[in-house]
Each structure stands twice: as structure tokens, then as C-alpha cells.
Amino acid sequence: TAYEIMPSLVGSEMCIRDRLNSISGEIKDIECIKPTVLFAQEGNWEIVIGNSNIKLEKGDTFSVPLSSKIDISCNNSENSILNFVSQI
């Protein structure tokens, strides 16, 4: 996993950025305790929060509700990239 510190889009706060890079797979029970935005840079992704399924396609963004546990999955024929931007 690659991390980089970058300026936030709001004010002078900093964000930590994490990137998932995969063709297919699933990650369960990711806990988002700080404001987090997901950005689908490449491919199609499915985000599950409770009983809600959110589909992200290339270029889509999604703001994760605070203190949520999410499951993320993708099943693509080509490499896919999902970026996380969270307040620190």
C-alpha cells in the first residue's frame, strides 16, 4: 500500500491518501472513523455499507458516512484503482 501526504481540498488540513490497485477481490470491514472520500480512478467498484450497495465507475466519487464499516469489491478484466482520501 502506498501512502502520500497531500494538501486537503478544504483549508490547510492534510489528508492521507491510500490506493487500492486490483483486478478482482474483496476487502471487508474497513472502518472509516474520519471523513473519507473514495475516488474510482480506473475500473468498476462496489461499496457495501450495511444494506446499501453503491456502484462506482471510473471518475465517480463517494463520501463515506462517518464511523461506517464498509466492504469493497471489484471484478474487472483490467487493473482497477480506487483512491481513499481521509482527514488526519
Side-chain angles (χ1 to χ4, degrees), residues 1 5-7 9 13 22 26 31 33-34 38 40 47-48 50 52-54 57-58 61-62 70-72 74 78 80:
T1 303
I5 299 295
M6 59 183 285
L9 297 175
E13 296 173 352
S22 181
E26 184 175 61
E31 189 169 6
I33 57 174
K34 302 233 178 173
L38 305 177
I47 313 302
V48 177
S52 299
N53 289 356
I54 296 98
E57 297 178 353
K58 181 179 179 178
T61 60
F62 175 71
I70 63 174
D71 298 338
I72 297 174
C74 71
E78 296 181 5
S80 301

Side-chain angles (χ1 to χ4, degrees), residues 15-35:
C15 290
I16 191 163
R17 182 179 179 141
D18 193 6
R19 175 177 288 166
L20 294 177
N21 204 343
S22 181
I23 292 175
S24 66
E26 184 175 61
I27 302 173
K28 293 187 171 243
D29 294 327
I30 299 171
E31 189 169 6
C32 298
I33 57 174
K34 302 233 178 173

Side-chain angles (χ1 to χ4, degrees), residues 54-68:
I54 296 98
K55 300 215 184 269
L56 299 180
E57 297 178 353
K58 181 179 179 178
D60 289 345
T61 60
F62 175 71
S63 294
V64 179
L66 283 176
S67 301
S68 295

